Each structure stands twice: as structure tokens, then as C-alpha cells.
Amino acid sequence: GAVVSQHPSWVICKSGTSVKIECRSLDFQATTMFWYRQFPKQSLMLMATSNEGSKATYEQGVEKDKFLINHASLTLSTLTVTSAHPEDSSFYICSASGLAGGPRDNEQFFGPGTRLTVL
Amino acid sequence: GQQVMQIPQYQHVQEGEDFTTYCNSSTTLSNIQWYKQRPGGHPVFLIQLVKSGEVKKQKRLTFQFGEAKKNSSLHITATQTTDVGTYFCAAGGTSYGKLTFGQGTILTVHP
């Protein structure tokens, strides 16, 4: 149980184009989803926190207009990288939480990640 | 904001040797979680520690939470090649369950 999928697993795009990444909780309702980016051999940097039906909360230094987050349902959140540039190339990982009650309610379940390469 | 320092950044061991990674915070943590990320993979939850002085074991892995709830450690006894990967601590307890990740320790195990 508690599986999170992410699509696509990798994408290569041209500079200036927009890329949408989907994050789905397959077998539970995710009250909260998180978006991270990770550079090679570095830690996960939280970009934003999104709750179903409300605006995402962005971390300091993350451009809201560049990284558009939509959390349309309890099982789906999307991250759109608008007008992507080579410096946006990274590994983007989503996670979901929402197993309310019990010892696992703080646990985050991570998707497999999306590797974005902007040429 | 909340910061968690994790050391060492890298650790190379021979198979069978022990391994420990440490996390420290300047502020008291409500809880701390540990994750493992295999090369090319995504983080996988290992455990959550909540209580002061808590010690939990999972087979060869021992997790500790300091008495002041400002530090934590993960110790692996007799490492195996399957233990390779990056181990992250993550401080929790902020709004909506947000986690602050440590820098991670990359473990390499030589057979």
C-alpha cells in the first residue's frame, strides 16, 4: 500500500518550452503533496507544499510563476516548469502524505522521480 | 528556518565493517525520520523517532534520538553490499508535515 507514481520518469525538452509532471497517489488519498528537486549527489530541496483545493505554499527562493503547482484532487498533483532553461535540469521528486492516524501519519511516500533535461 | 546538519557526507567501508551517520539540529525537533535512497532511486522511509532518548532497531540498523531531541544517529552493523545508497535524516513537525532533509551520507560498501 501507499504507492505514489510519477509521470513521466524522464523528459528532454528544448529551452523555452513548458513541461508538466504528474504525481499520483495510487491507493490512498493524499491530503498533502510535496515537490522536491534534487541535484546529483545532493540533498532533497523542498520546493513547495500543496494541499488539495488550495494554493501551494512555496519555499523561499522558489518562483511561483515558474513552477506552477496544481493539486486538483486528493490523488493528483501536477508541477509545470514553465519556459524551462538548462539550469532547470534536475531530478524532480514528489511525495505524498495522508495516512491519517496511527504511527505512519507523518510518513511521506515518494514517487520515483522525474529527470528533466533542458537542452 | 529549521536546519539539520548531517555528517559525514561520504563513507567508504569494507563489507562487514560498521557504519554510522549523524544528524544535528540547533533547535529541538518534534520528530526525526530516516530515509534511504538507492543510486538512481527515490527515498524510501526507514523509521520515525519521536521520543527523547528513543532507540529503535531494524535488524542490523539501530536508530537513536538524543535526550535533548536535537540529534539523531543511524548505525549499521556489519555492512553488506545491499546497504549502499544515500541515507538521509529529515526533521519533521512543521506545518502540514513538512520535512527538512539533512545533506545525506553516501555509503559505499566494498566487497
Side-chain angles (χ1 to χ4, degrees):
Chain A
V3 177
V4 176
S5 71
Q6 218 172 309
H7 179 80
S9 56
W10 60 270
V11 57
I12 301 172
C13 69
K14 293 182 179 180
S15 185
T17 60
S18 294
V19 175
K20 180 186 281 188
I21 302 170
E22 292 186 348
C23 178
R24 293 181 184 272
S25 57
L26 299 184
D27 51 4
F28 69 104
Q29 293 185 327
T31 52
T32 307
M33 286 186 171
F34 305 86
W35 287 95
Y36 298 85
R37 73 188 286 184
Q38 185 179 35
F39 292 107
K41 296 191 176 180
Q42 292 190 23
S43 188
L44 285 80
M45 300 301 298
L46 180 65
M47 299 174 67
T49 303
S50 76
N51 291 282
E52 184 263 341
S54 61
K55 290 184 179 179
T57 302
Y58 289 81
E59 295 298 300
Q60 192 172 10
V62 178
E63 298 176 58
K64 300 179 183 180
D65 295 333
K66 181 163 186 64
F67 298 100
L68 300 178
I69 291 172
N70 183 278
H71 195 156
S73 74
L74 285 172
T75 59
L76 173 65
S77 176
T78 60
L79 167 67
T80 301
V81 183
T82 62
S83 187
H85 288 94
E87 58 266 30
D88 298 324
S89 299
S90 188
F91 191 49
Y92 292 88
I93 310 177
C94 71
S95 72
S97 66
L99 291 182
R104 303 186 71 179
D105 56 358
N106 283 334
E107 183 177 340
Q108 290 188 21
F109 301 93
F110 285 82
T114 297
R115 192 161 301 282
L116 170 64
T117 302
V118 185
L119 302 176
Chain B
Q2 190 165 247
Q3 287 189 329
V4 179
M5 303 300 295
Q6 188 174 355
I7 57 170
Q9 186 177 1
Y10 299 94
Q11 187 75 60
H12 304 273
V13 300
Q14 288 293 131
E15 189 172 20
E17 292 181 339
D18 293 354
F19 159 76
T20 305
T21 173
Y22 302 89
C23 276
N24 290 286
S25 170
S26 58
T27 60
T28 302
L29 305 172
S30 61
N31 67 75
I32 195 157
Q33 300 180 20
W34 285 91
Y35 290 80
K36 176 183 178 181
Q37 184 176 22
R38 292 182 184 275
H42 61 277
V44 174
F45 176 84
L46 294 177
I47 210 158
Q48 175 175 270
L49 304 173
V50 179
K51 299 177 183 176
S52 167
E54 190 170 15
V55 177
K56 288 188 176 180
K57 292 190 175 185
Q58 290 179 352
K59 296 183 180 178
R60 294 179 294 104
L61 278 61
T62 302
F63 304 85
Q64 291 187 310
F65 202 9
E67 293 289 343
K69 299 181 71 173
K70 290 186 176 181
N71 57 74
S72 180
S73 66
L74 158 60
H75 179 83
I76 302 178
T77 304
T79 54
Q80 300 175 358
T81 54
T82 52
D83 294 326
V84 298
T86 303
Y87 292 85
F88 292 100
C89 62
T94 54
S95 61
Y96 297 109
K98 189 171 81 170
L99 294 175
T100 301
F101 279 80
Q103 294 87 342
T105 297
I106 300 173
L107 173 64
T108 306
V109 180
H110 299 285

